Amino acid sequence: MKTLADLGDLKGRKVLVRCDLNVPLDGTTITDDGRIKASLPTLTKLRDAGARIVVLAHLGRPKGEPKPEFSLAPAAARLGELLGTEVKLAADTVGEDAQKLAGELADGDVLVCENVRFEPGETSKVDEERAALAEKYAALVGPDGAFVSDGFGVVHRKQASVYDIAKLLPAAAGTLVENEVTKLGQLTDDPTRPFVVVLGGAKVSDKLTVIDNLLGVADTLVIGGGMVFTFLKAKGHEVGSSLLEEDQVDVVKGYLAKAEELGKQIVLPTDVVVAPEFKADAPASTVAADAMPTDQMGLDIGPESAKAFADVIRGSKSAFWNGPMGVFEMEAFAAGTKAVAQALTEMDGLSVVGGGDSASAVRHLGFADEAFGHISTGGGASLEFMEGKTLPGLSVLDSKEA
């Protein structure tokens, strides 16, 4: 995969950088700026090299039309604060304002173009529509320009600012993407053992392929979150009104059998925190995982399970975690997720938090990013990488293809 070093001298050249500035907002207030901070090393390197930087990024799902609530204005302002320099925001993505401001850039300047998903061609399934938009992106930096892919959260998407643009300009991975591939690659290629994978989140169907792939790689799979109730059902247990994917029960039975055949361990909770309804102030109680009342729903793993999960993690040399153990946003159902996060900070080895809700959870619960070996910026992308899939935004940077 080509990296920044392959682009040569960048002084005075315009460089298009695909960042991931898709941060959570409360109105116009950023509630987690982790992704913006993750973009700083690449942007700083480019500024130090004298490049003239045009940032492309998205926020939310505006579905191909400009919508004020999805403006990148808050992200651009925060990026400027963190870089310690003025960062201008174009009023459009590839229109007159973007072209004008890109043309006025001096060495080390940074411009953010408005949300790429305001353009219908960005996410189009029609190759020609994406390619036409990519031509407009390339025009912002001119014939001597270059492209740097630094938004790992979107490299699993075949989109104009991720995939098609890399075919038009000299292209390379930024330091964020390079680091993501290195860290995740350590786990998929030759992990230090024991290698433990902790999976949670709402739906088991979202993680079927990763379970299938990692059963052949990991030594132990630890399962929590809403998806665990499909596993408990597959073992013949009552799950009350918990989240359940009935159509996946037989698939899960197959995974349990496969794990046994391979001599791998799938660790499930032995106790569950339940409540009669999905509410922060609902009366919570702890029950055995094989004795859930029919009128209760599971909203977290229980304290016994939290301790057992933590022990397994602390005993590992490599660990990958994707998906909370419970409804961590509600204090009564956050203990399981907190126990997993704490154990990851205490293990002697490489701990990787697989982005998405897991990254949000560790910050929400007060953990510092530096406490973990690596926090991925891409939830879906990190899962697909762990599944062994070919990610379009990475394959297009392959030096053999270029």
Side-chain angles (χ1 to χ4, degrees), residues 188-227:
T188 55
D189 297 338
D190 188 21
T192 306
R193 300 189 181 277
F195 175 29
V196 173
V197 173
V198 184
L199 297 176
K203 295 182 177 181
V204 70
S205 55
D206 292 341
K207 300 196 168 70
L208 289 178
T209 315
V210 76
I211 292 171
D212 195 37
N213 188 55
L214 290 178
L215 273 174
V217 181
D219 300 296
T220 304
L221 262 62
V222 176
I223 309 292
M227 63 185 284

PDB file of all heavy atoms in Angstrom, residues 188-227:
ATOM      1  N   THR A 188      -4.971 -10.106  12.539  1.00  0.00           N
ATOM      2  CA  THR A 188      -5.461 -11.065  11.552  1.00  0.00           C
ATOM      3  C   THR A 188      -4.356 -11.924  10.961  1.00  0.00           C
ATOM      4  O   THR A 188      -4.603 -13.045  10.533  1.00  0.00           O
ATOM      5  CB  THR A 188      -6.189 -10.332  10.400  1.00  0.00           C
ATOM      6  OG1 THR A 188      -5.308  -9.345   9.843  1.00  0.00           O
ATOM      7  CG2 THR A 188      -7.452  -9.660  10.902  1.00  0.00           C
ATOM      8  N   ASP A 189      -3.122 -11.390  10.929  1.00  0.00           N
ATOM      9  CA  ASP A 189      -2.031 -12.121  10.271  1.00  0.00           C
ATOM     10  C   ASP A 189      -1.290 -13.071  11.217  1.00  0.00           C
ATOM     11  O   ASP A 189      -1.149 -14.253  10.925  1.00  0.00           O
ATOM     12  CB  ASP A 189      -1.027 -11.136   9.652  1.00  0.00           C
ATOM     13  CG  ASP A 189      -1.655 -10.278   8.564  1.00  0.00           C
ATOM     14  OD1 ASP A 189      -2.681 -10.714   8.010  1.00  0.00           O
ATOM     15  OD2 ASP A 189      -1.130  -9.188   8.292  1.00  0.00           O
ATOM     16  N   ASP A 190      -0.836 -12.545  12.345  1.00  0.00           N
ATOM     17  CA  ASP A 190      -0.039 -13.375  13.251  1.00  0.00           C
ATOM     18  C   ASP A 190      -0.174 -12.853  14.681  1.00  0.00           C
ATOM     19  O   ASP A 190       0.781 -12.291  15.245  1.00  0.00           O
ATOM     20  CB  ASP A 190       1.428 -13.372  12.808  1.00  0.00           C
ATOM     21  CG  ASP A 190       2.269 -14.367  13.595  1.00  0.00           C
ATOM     22  OD1 ASP A 190       1.692 -15.310  14.161  1.00  0.00           O
ATOM     23  OD2 ASP A 190       3.503 -14.179  13.648  1.00  0.00           O
ATOM     24  N   PRO A 191      -1.352 -13.009  15.291  1.00  0.00           N
ATOM     25  CA  PRO A 191      -1.555 -12.452  16.631  1.00  0.00           C
ATOM     26  C   PRO A 191      -0.730 -13.165  17.690  1.00  0.00           C
ATOM     27  O   PRO A 191      -0.520 -14.384  17.605  1.00  0.00           O
ATOM     28  CB  PRO A 191      -3.055 -12.671  16.873  1.00  0.00           C
ATOM     29  CG  PRO A 191      -3.401 -13.864  16.027  1.00  0.00           C
ATOM     30  CD  PRO A 191      -2.532 -13.750  14.813  1.00  0.00           C
ATOM     31  N   THR A 192      -0.259 -12.408  18.668  1.00  0.00           N
ATOM     32  CA  THR A 192       0.372 -13.010  19.837  1.00  0.00           C
ATOM     33  C   THR A 192      -0.720 -13.696  20.652  1.00  0.00           C
ATOM     34  O   THR A 192      -1.769 -13.113  20.902  1.00  0.00           O
ATOM     35  CB  THR A 192       1.069 -11.935  20.691  1.00  0.00           C
ATOM     36  OG1 THR A 192       1.961 -11.193  19.848  1.00  0.00           O
ATOM     37  CG2 THR A 192       1.847 -12.560  21.832  1.00  0.00           C
ATOM     38  N   ARG A 193      -0.494 -14.922  21.030  1.00  0.00           N
ATOM     39  CA  ARG A 193      -1.556 -15.700  21.694  1.00  0.00           C
ATOM     40  C   ARG A 193      -1.317 -15.816  23.202  1.00  0.00           C
ATOM     41  O   ARG A 193      -0.187 -15.717  23.641  1.00  0.00           O
ATOM     42  CB  ARG A 193      -1.643 -17.096  21.044  1.00  0.00           C
ATOM     43  CG  ARG A 193      -1.970 -16.983  19.559  1.00  0.00           C
ATOM     44  CD  ARG A 193      -2.269 -18.336  18.929  1.00  0.00           C
ATOM     45  NE  ARG A 193      -2.544 -18.172  17.513  1.00  0.00           N
ATOM     46  CZ  ARG A 193      -3.737 -17.824  17.010  1.00  0.00           C
ATOM     47  NH1 ARG A 193      -4.755 -17.605  17.825  1.00  0.00           N
ATOM     48  NH2 ARG A 193      -3.898 -17.689  15.709  1.00  0.00           N
ATOM     49  N   PRO A 194      -2.448 -15.984  23.940  1.00  0.00           N
ATOM     50  CA  PRO A 194      -3.827 -16.176  23.502  1.00  0.00           C
ATOM     51  C   PRO A 194      -4.435 -14.909  22.895  1.00  0.00           C
ATOM     52  O   PRO A 194      -4.193 -13.815  23.377  1.00  0.00           O
ATOM     53  CB  PRO A 194      -4.582 -16.556  24.778  1.00  0.00           C
ATOM     54  CG  PRO A 194      -3.545 -16.802  25.825  1.00  0.00           C
ATOM     55  CD  PRO A 194      -2.318 -16.082  25.424  1.00  0.00           C
ATOM     56  N   PHE A 195      -5.236 -15.113  21.828  1.00  0.00           N
ATOM     57  CA  PHE A 195      -5.928 -14.031  21.135  1.00  0.00           C
ATOM     58  C   PHE A 195      -7.418 -14.130  21.451  1.00  0.00           C
ATOM     59  O   PHE A 195      -8.063 -15.123  21.133  1.00  0.00           O
ATOM     60  CB  PHE A 195      -5.674 -14.141  19.631  1.00  0.00           C
ATOM     61  CG  PHE A 195      -6.441 -13.153  18.784  1.00  0.00           C
ATOM     62  CD1 PHE A 195      -6.811 -11.900  19.259  1.00  0.00           C
ATOM     63  CD2 PHE A 195      -6.780 -13.480  17.472  1.00  0.00           C
ATOM     64  CE1 PHE A 195      -7.504 -11.003  18.473  1.00  0.00           C
ATOM     65  CE2 PHE A 195      -7.465 -12.583  16.663  1.00  0.00           C
ATOM     66  CZ  PHE A 195      -7.836 -11.349  17.165  1.00  0.00           C
ATOM     67  N   VAL A 196      -7.946 -13.085  22.082  1.00  0.00           N
ATOM     68  CA  VAL A 196      -9.349 -13.058  22.502  1.00  0.00           C
ATOM     69  C   VAL A 196     -10.107 -12.008  21.710  1.00  0.00           C
ATOM     70  O   VAL A 196      -9.633 -10.876  21.563  1.00  0.00           O
ATOM     71  CB  VAL A 196      -9.475 -12.762  24.020  1.00  0.00           C
ATOM     72  CG1 VAL A 196     -10.937 -12.564  24.418  1.00  0.00           C
ATOM     73  CG2 VAL A 196      -8.850 -13.881  24.831  1.00  0.00           C
ATOM     74  N   VAL A 197     -11.273 -12.369  21.215  1.00  0.00           N
ATOM     75  CA  VAL A 197     -12.152 -11.427  20.530  1.00  0.00           C
ATOM     76  C   VAL A 197     -13.417 -11.257  21.356  1.00  0.00           C
ATOM     77  O   VAL A 197     -14.066 -12.241  21.722  1.00  0.00           O
ATOM     78  CB  VAL A 197     -12.520 -11.923  19.110  1.00  0.00           C
ATOM     79  CG1 VAL A 197     -13.566 -11.005  18.476  1.00  0.00           C
ATOM     80  CG2 VAL A 197     -11.281 -11.980  18.235  1.00  0.00           C
ATOM     81  N   VAL A 198     -13.745 -10.007  21.677  1.00  0.00           N
ATOM     82  CA  VAL A 198     -14.941  -9.695  22.461  1.00  0.00           C
ATOM     83  C   VAL A 198     -15.936  -9.006  21.539  1.00  0.00           C
ATOM     84  O   VAL A 198     -15.635  -7.961  20.966  1.00  0.00           O
ATOM     85  CB  VAL A 198     -14.610  -8.771  23.653  1.00  0.00           C
ATOM     86  CG1 VAL A 198     -15.850  -8.545  24.514  1.00  0.00           C
ATOM     87  CG2 VAL A 198     -13.474  -9.350  24.487  1.00  0.00           C
ATOM     88  N   LEU A 199     -17.104  -9.593  21.374  1.00  0.00           N
ATOM     89  CA  LEU A 199     -18.119  -9.040  20.488  1.00  0.00           C
ATOM     90  C   LEU A 199     -19.400  -8.733  21.259  1.00  0.00           C
ATOM     91  O   LEU A 199     -19.845  -9.531  22.094  1.00  0.00           O
ATOM     92  CB  LEU A 199     -18.438 -10.015  19.353  1.00  0.00           C
ATOM     93  CG  LEU A 199     -17.294 -10.341  18.387  1.00  0.00           C
ATOM     94  CD1 LEU A 199     -17.744 -11.391  17.378  1.00  0.00           C
ATOM     95  CD2 LEU A 199     -16.808  -9.088  17.668  1.00  0.00           C
ATOM     96  N   GLY A 200     -19.974  -7.565  20.985  1.00  0.00           N
ATOM     97  CA  GLY A 200     -21.238  -7.178  21.590  1.00  0.00           C
ATOM     98  C   GLY A 200     -22.059  -6.420  20.579  1.00  0.00           C
ATOM     99  O   GLY A 200     -21.945  -6.631  19.378  1.00  0.00           O
ATOM    100  N   GLY A 201     -22.881  -5.500  21.076  1.00  0.00           N
ATOM    101  CA  GLY A 201     -23.747  -4.762  20.172  1.00  0.00           C
ATOM    102  C   GLY A 201     -25.090  -5.432  20.035  1.00  0.00           C
ATOM    103  O   GLY A 201     -25.362  -6.488  20.627  1.00  0.00           O
ATOM    104  N   ALA A 202     -25.944  -4.824  19.229  1.00  0.00           N
ATOM    105  CA  ALA A 202     -27.344  -5.235  19.187  1.00  0.00           C
ATOM    106  C   ALA A 202     -27.597  -6.534  18.436  1.00  0.00           C
ATOM    107  O   ALA A 202     -28.241  -7.448  18.950  1.00  0.00           O
ATOM    108  CB  ALA A 202     -28.184  -4.108  18.585  1.00  0.00           C
ATOM    109  N   LYS A 203     -27.076  -6.636  17.215  1.00  0.00           N
ATOM    110  CA  LYS A 203     -27.512  -7.729  16.341  1.00  0.00           C
ATOM    111  C   LYS A 203     -26.401  -8.717  16.020  1.00  0.00           C
ATOM    112  O   LYS A 203     -25.323  -8.329  15.583  1.00  0.00           O
ATOM    113  CB  LYS A 203     -28.079  -7.160  15.033  1.00  0.00           C
ATOM    114  CG  LYS A 203     -29.353  -6.351  15.209  1.00  0.00           C
ATOM    115  CD  LYS A 203     -29.860  -5.881  13.850  1.00  0.00           C
ATOM    116  CE  LYS A 203     -31.173  -5.139  13.973  1.00  0.00           C
ATOM    117  NZ  LYS A 203     -31.681  -4.697  12.652  1.00  0.00           N
ATOM    118  N   VAL A 204     -26.704  -9.995  16.179  1.00  0.00           N
ATOM    119  CA  VAL A 204     -25.746 -11.030  15.802  1.00  0.00           C
ATOM    120  C   VAL A 204     -25.591 -11.071  14.283  1.00  0.00           C
ATOM    121  O   VAL A 204     -24.511 -11.389  13.763  1.00  0.00           O
ATOM    122  CB  VAL A 204     -26.187 -12.405  16.355  1.00  0.00           C
ATOM    123  CG1 VAL A 204     -27.427 -12.936  15.646  1.00  0.00           C
ATOM    124  CG2 VAL A 204     -25.051 -13.412  16.270  1.00  0.00           C
ATOM    125  N   SER A 205     -26.646 -10.707  13.541  1.00  0.00           N
ATOM    126  CA  SER A 205     -26.576 -10.750  12.077  1.00  0.00           C
ATOM    127  C   SER A 205     -25.531  -9.791  11.529  1.00  0.00           C
ATOM    128  O   SER A 205     -24.979 -10.011  10.455  1.00  0.00           O
ATOM    129  CB  SER A 205     -27.947 -10.428  11.458  1.00  0.00           C
ATOM    130  OG  SER A 205     -28.432  -9.189  11.915  1.00  0.00           O
ATOM    131  N   ASP A 206     -25.235  -8.710  12.281  1.00  0.00           N
ATOM    132  CA  ASP A 206     -24.202  -7.758  11.852  1.00  0.00           C
ATOM    133  C   ASP A 206     -22.805  -8.345  11.951  1.00  0.00           C
ATOM    134  O   ASP A 206     -21.864  -7.814  11.368  1.00  0.00           O
ATOM    135  CB  ASP A 206     -24.250  -6.486  12.716  1.00  0.00           C
ATOM    136  CG  ASP A 206     -25.501  -5.664  12.482  1.00  0.00           C
ATOM    137  OD1 ASP A 206     -26.149  -5.854  11.434  1.00  0.00           O
ATOM    138  OD2 ASP A 206     -25.841  -4.844  13.355  1.00  0.00           O
ATOM    139  N   LYS A 207     -22.671  -9.430  12.715  1.00  0.00           N
ATOM    140  CA  LYS A 207     -21.323  -9.938  12.997  1.00  0.00           C
ATOM    141  C   LYS A 207     -21.143 -11.405  12.594  1.00  0.00           C
ATOM    142  O   LYS A 207     -20.180 -12.043  12.997  1.00  0.00           O
ATOM    143  CB  LYS A 207     -21.024  -9.763  14.488  1.00  0.00           C
ATOM    144  CG  LYS A 207     -21.082  -8.275  14.913  1.00  0.00           C
ATOM    145  CD  LYS A 207     -20.437  -8.011  16.227  1.00  0.00           C
ATOM    146  CE  LYS A 207     -20.249  -6.515  16.467  1.00  0.00           C
ATOM    147  NZ  LYS A 207     -21.482  -5.778  16.691  1.00  0.00           N
ATOM    148  N   LEU A 208     -22.061 -11.914  11.774  1.00  0.00           N
ATOM    149  CA  LEU A 208     -21.981 -13.320  11.376  1.00  0.00           C
ATOM    150  C   LEU A 208     -20.672 -13.638  10.656  1.00  0.00           C
ATOM    151  O   LEU A 208     -20.001 -14.626  10.965  1.00  0.00           O
ATOM    152  CB  LEU A 208     -23.166 -13.685  10.484  1.00  0.00           C
ATOM    153  CG  LEU A 208     -24.529 -13.769  11.180  1.00  0.00           C
ATOM    154  CD1 LEU A 208     -25.621 -14.090  10.170  1.00  0.00           C
ATOM    155  CD2 LEU A 208     -24.518 -14.822  12.283  1.00  0.00           C
ATOM    156  N   THR A 209     -20.300 -12.796   9.678  1.00  0.00           N
ATOM    157  CA  THR A 209     -19.100 -13.089   8.898  1.00  0.00           C
ATOM    158  C   THR A 209     -17.851 -12.982   9.741  1.00  0.00           C
ATOM    159  O   THR A 209     -16.916 -13.776   9.604  1.00  0.00           O
ATOM    160  CB  THR A 209     -18.993 -12.138   7.692  1.00  0.00           C
ATOM    161  OG1 THR A 209     -20.258 -12.046   7.052  1.00  0.00           O
ATOM    162  CG2 THR A 209     -17.979 -12.650   6.690  1.00  0.00           C
ATOM    163  N   VAL A 210     -17.811 -11.982  10.636  1.00  0.00           N
ATOM    164  CA  VAL A 210     -16.628 -11.830  11.476  1.00  0.00           C
ATOM    165  C   VAL A 210     -16.498 -12.987  12.461  1.00  0.00           C
ATOM    166  O   VAL A 210     -15.394 -13.466  12.736  1.00  0.00           O
ATOM    167  CB  VAL A 210     -16.627 -10.466  12.213  1.00  0.00           C
ATOM    168  CG1 VAL A 210     -17.582 -10.417  13.373  1.00  0.00           C
ATOM    169  CG2 VAL A 210     -15.224 -10.107  12.674  1.00  0.00           C
ATOM    170  N   ILE A 211     -17.629 -13.485  12.974  1.00  0.00           N
ATOM    171  CA  ILE A 211     -17.584 -14.659  13.853  1.00  0.00           C
ATOM    172  C   ILE A 211     -17.037 -15.853  13.078  1.00  0.00           C
ATOM    173  O   ILE A 211     -16.157 -16.585  13.553  1.00  0.00           O
ATOM    174  CB  ILE A 211     -18.979 -14.973  14.419  1.00  0.00           C
ATOM    175  CG1 ILE A 211     -19.422 -13.866  15.392  1.00  0.00           C
ATOM    176  CG2 ILE A 211     -18.978 -16.329  15.147  1.00  0.00           C
ATOM    177  CD1 ILE A 211     -20.877 -13.977  15.828  1.00  0.00           C
ATOM    178  N   ASP A 212     -17.557 -16.045  11.867  1.00  0.00           N
ATOM    179  CA  ASP A 212     -17.145 -17.178  11.044  1.00  0.00           C
ATOM    180  C   ASP A 212     -15.638 -17.128  10.766  1.00  0.00           C
ATOM    181  O   ASP A 212     -14.934 -18.135  10.882  1.00  0.00           O
ATOM    182  CB  ASP A 212     -17.924 -17.152   9.729  1.00  0.00           C
ATOM    183  CG  ASP A 212     -17.830 -18.462   8.971  1.00  0.00           C
ATOM    184  OD1 ASP A 212     -17.816 -19.518   9.620  1.00  0.00           O
ATOM    185  OD2 ASP A 212     -17.769 -18.431   7.730  1.00  0.00           O
ATOM    186  N   ASN A 213     -15.135 -15.936  10.424  1.00  0.00           N
ATOM    187  CA  ASN A 213     -13.717 -15.797  10.101  1.00  0.00           C
ATOM    188  C   ASN A 213     -12.835 -15.931  11.340  1.00  0.00           C
ATOM    189  O   ASN A 213     -11.803 -16.609  11.321  1.00  0.00           O
ATOM    190  CB  ASN A 213     -13.469 -14.438   9.432  1.00  0.00           C
ATOM    191  CG  ASN A 213     -12.049 -14.309   8.901  1.00  0.00           C
ATOM    192  OD1 ASN A 213     -11.596 -15.133   8.128  1.00  0.00           O
ATOM    193  ND2 ASN A 213     -11.349 -13.272   9.331  1.00  0.00           N
ATOM    194  N   LEU A 214     -13.265 -15.289  12.440  1.00  0.00           N
ATOM    195  CA  LEU A 214     -12.417 -15.257  13.632  1.00  0.00           C
ATOM    196  C   LEU A 214     -12.421 -16.568  14.417  1.00  0.00           C
ATOM    197  O   LEU A 214     -11.520 -16.795  15.220  1.00  0.00           O
ATOM    198  CB  LEU A 214     -12.825 -14.093  14.529  1.00  0.00           C
ATOM    199  CG  LEU A 214     -12.476 -12.713  13.951  1.00  0.00           C
ATOM    200  CD1 LEU A 214     -12.952 -11.605  14.868  1.00  0.00           C
ATOM    201  CD2 LEU A 214     -10.974 -12.583  13.725  1.00  0.00           C
ATOM    202  N   LEU A 215     -13.399 -17.426  14.169  1.00  0.00           N
ATOM    203  CA  LEU A 215     -13.349 -18.747  14.803  1.00  0.00           C
ATOM    204  C   LEU A 215     -12.097 -19.505  14.364  1.00  0.00           C
ATOM    205  O   LEU A 215     -11.571 -20.336  15.102  1.00  0.00           O
ATOM    206  CB  LEU A 215     -14.605 -19.566  14.446  1.00  0.00           C
ATOM    207  CG  LEU A 215     -15.818 -19.372  15.346  1.00  0.00           C
ATOM    208  CD1 LEU A 215     -17.019 -20.129  14.796  1.00  0.00           C
ATOM    209  CD2 LEU A 215     -15.523 -19.836  16.776  1.00  0.00           C
ATOM    210  N   GLY A 216     -11.617 -19.181  13.161  1.00  0.00           N
ATOM    211  CA  GLY A 216     -10.410 -19.834  12.681  1.00  0.00           C
ATOM    212  C   GLY A 216      -9.127 -19.130  13.102  1.00  0.00           C
ATOM    213  O   GLY A 216      -8.040 -19.669  12.924  1.00  0.00           O
ATOM    214  N   VAL A 217      -9.246 -17.925  13.674  1.00  0.00           N
ATOM    215  CA  VAL A 217      -8.069 -17.133  14.023  1.00  0.00           C
ATOM    216  C   VAL A 217      -7.909 -16.975  15.537  1.00  0.00           C
ATOM    217  O   VAL A 217      -6.825 -17.160  16.085  1.00  0.00           O
ATOM    218  CB  VAL A 217      -8.137 -15.729  13.368  1.00  0.00           C
ATOM    219  CG1 VAL A 217      -6.903 -14.914  13.719  1.00  0.00           C
ATOM    220  CG2 VAL A 217      -8.293 -15.844  11.862  1.00  0.00           C
ATOM    221  N   ALA A 218      -9.007 -16.613  16.201  1.00  0.00           N
ATOM    222  CA  ALA A 218      -8.956 -16.352  17.643  1.00  0.00           C
ATOM    223  C   ALA A 218      -8.927 -17.645  18.453  1.00  0.00           C
ATOM    224  O   ALA A 218      -9.338 -18.697  17.977  1.00  0.00           O
ATOM    225  CB  ALA A 218     -10.149 -15.499  18.059  1.00  0.00           C
ATOM    226  N   ASP A 219      -8.430 -17.538  19.680  1.00  0.00           N
ATOM    227  CA  ASP A 219      -8.469 -18.685  20.593  1.00  0.00           C
ATOM    228  C   ASP A 219      -9.791 -18.729  21.361  1.00  0.00           C
ATOM    229  O   ASP A 219     -10.315 -19.805  21.647  1.00  0.00           O
ATOM    230  CB  ASP A 219      -7.301 -18.590  21.592  1.00  0.00           C
ATOM    231  CG  ASP A 219      -5.956 -18.602  20.884  1.00  0.00           C
ATOM    232  OD1 ASP A 219      -5.643 -19.625  20.255  1.00  0.00           O
ATOM    233  OD2 ASP A 219      -5.249 -17.584  20.925  1.00  0.00           O
ATOM    234  N   THR A 220     -10.309 -17.539  21.684  1.00  0.00           N
ATOM    235  CA  THR A 220     -11.536 -17.439  22.464  1.00  0.00           C
ATOM    236  C   THR A 220     -12.403 -16.307  21.941  1.00  0.00           C
ATOM    237  O   THR A 220     -11.899 -15.222  21.634  1.00  0.00           O
ATOM    238  CB  THR A 220     -11.219 -17.169  23.955  1.00  0.00           C
ATOM    239  OG1 THR A 220     -10.355 -18.197  24.446  1.00  0.00           O
ATOM    240  CG2 THR A 220     -12.485 -17.122  24.790  1.00  0.00           C
ATOM    241  N   LEU A 221     -13.704 -16.565  21.828  1.00  0.00           N
ATOM    242  CA  LEU A 221     -14.670 -15.520  21.519  1.00  0.00           C
ATOM    243  C   LEU A 221     -15.519 -15.275  22.757  1.00  0.00           C
ATOM    244  O   LEU A 221     -16.053 -16.225  23.347  1.00  0.00           O
ATOM    245  CB  LEU A 221     -15.580 -15.932  20.357  1.00  0.00           C
ATOM    246  CG  LEU A 221     -15.224 -15.404  18.961  1.00  0.00           C
ATOM    247  CD1 LEU A 221     -13.863 -15.920  18.529  1.00  0.00           C
ATOM    248  CD2 LEU A 221     -16.287 -15.791  17.938  1.00  0.00           C
ATOM    249  N   VAL A 222     -15.629 -14.020  23.158  1.00  0.00           N
ATOM    250  CA  VAL A 222     -16.440 -13.624  24.301  1.00  0.00           C
ATOM    251  C   VAL A 222     -17.633 -12.844  23.757  1.00  0.00           C
ATOM    252  O   VAL A 222     -17.455 -11.869  23.021  1.00  0.00           O
ATOM    253  CB  VAL A 222     -15.624 -12.748  25.284  1.00  0.00           C
ATOM    254  CG1 VAL A 222     -16.504 -12.258  26.424  1.00  0.00           C
ATOM    255  CG2 VAL A 222     -14.432 -13.533  25.827  1.00  0.00           C
ATOM    256  N   ILE A 223     -18.838 -13.265  24.098  1.00  0.00           N
ATOM    257  CA  ILE A 223     -20.040 -12.678  23.500  1.00  0.00           C
ATOM    258  C   ILE A 223     -20.919 -12.017  24.561  1.00  0.00           C
ATOM    259  O   ILE A 223     -21.271 -12.631  25.573  1.00  0.00           O
ATOM    260  CB  ILE A 223     -20.891 -13.746  22.768  1.00  0.00           C
ATOM    261  CG1 ILE A 223     -20.033 -14.569  21.796  1.00  0.00           C
ATOM    262  CG2 ILE A 223     -22.062 -13.083  22.048  1.00  0.00           C
ATOM    263  CD1 ILE A 223     -19.511 -13.824  20.609  1.00  0.00           C
ATOM    264  N   GLY A 224     -21.273 -10.744  24.303  1.00  0.00           N
ATOM    265  CA  GLY A 224     -22.186 -10.012  25.174  1.00  0.00           C
ATOM    266  C   GLY A 224     -23.106  -9.141  24.343  1.00  0.00           C
ATOM    267  O   GLY A 224     -23.268  -9.355  23.144  1.00  0.00           O
ATOM    268  N   GLY A 225     -23.704  -8.125  24.964  1.00  0.00           N
ATOM    269  CA  GLY A 225     -24.588  -7.218  24.242  1.00  0.00           C
ATOM    270  C   GLY A 225     -25.901  -7.859  23.851  1.00  0.00           C
ATOM    271  O   GLY A 225     -26.215  -8.998  24.227  1.00  0.00           O
ATOM    272  N   GLY A 226     -26.684  -7.138  23.045  1.00  0.00           N
ATOM    273  CA  GLY A 226     -27.977  -7.651  22.624  1.00  0.00           C
ATOM    274  C   GLY A 226     -27.866  -8.926  21.816  1.00  0.00           C
ATOM    275  O   GLY A 226     -28.767  -9.770  21.831  1.00  0.00           O
ATOM    276  N   MET A 227     -26.749  -9.104  21.105  1.00  0.00           N
ATOM    277  CA  MET A 227     -26.584 -10.285  20.263  1.00  0.00           C
ATOM    278  C   MET A 227     -26.485 -11.579  21.063  1.00  0.00           C
ATOM    279  O   MET A 227     -26.747 -12.659  20.543  1.00  0.00           O
ATOM    280  CB  MET A 227     -25.342 -10.132  19.379  1.00  0.00           C
ATOM    281  CG  MET A 227     -24.036 -10.023  20.128  1.00  0.00           C
ATOM    282  SD  MET A 227     -22.621  -9.703  19.034  1.00  0.00           S
ATOM    283  CE  MET A 227     -22.354 -11.312  18.311  1.00  0.00           C
TER     284      MET A 227
END
